[in-house]
Amino acid sequence: MFMKFLLTVAVVVLIWFGFRFAQRLAMQRQAPREPADQAAKPKPRFTPDADGESVRDLVKCPICNTWRAPNLGTCGRKECPH
Ligand SMILES: [Zn+2]
């Protein structure tokens, strides 16, 4: 009876370690692929122009509740202060 219990525990431990081993194998297989993809296809990055044309402070309109660049002018409503 006790041997049966030991055997059951041994089988469970074996399955557990086998699962961990398979998981580590799968992670090792995935890990080298990710940096290669990133190197092949670099993510687009926002690079602001030095003259400040692409970077502007937005002004909030109290009437229409939107943020707009001041030089864009009115948002369309006649009460708009811009
Ligand atoms: Zn407005």
Side-chain angles (χ1 to χ4, degrees):
M1 186 60 198
F2 185 69
M3 276 303 288
K4 210 172 171 184
F5 172 75
L6 264 184
L7 201 77
T8 308
V9 169
V11 166
V12 168
V13 167
L14 259 175
I15 290 173
W16 169 247
F17 275 100
F19 179 72
R20 276 182 59 177
F21 182 70
Q23 217 171 25
R24 200 184 304 161
L25 269 185
M27 277 186 52
Q28 277 176 350
R29 215 175 296 158
Q30 278 179 354
R33 208 184 294 159
E34 252 177 53
D37 267 5
Q38 283 177 352
K41 222 194 286 174
K43 286 179 181 167
R45 292 189 64 184
F46 173 72
T47 46
D49 294 337
D51 58 358
E53 266 299 300
S54 60
V55 183
R56 279 199 191 89
D57 289 329
L58 296 182
V59 180
K60 193 183 186 188
C61 174
I63 305 297
C64 48
N65 233 17
T66 54
W67 292 85
R68 295 170 61 85
N71 66 329
L72 281 179
T74 175
C75 57
R77 301 194 187 191
K78 61 179 183 217
E79 306 94 6
C80 184
H82 299 301

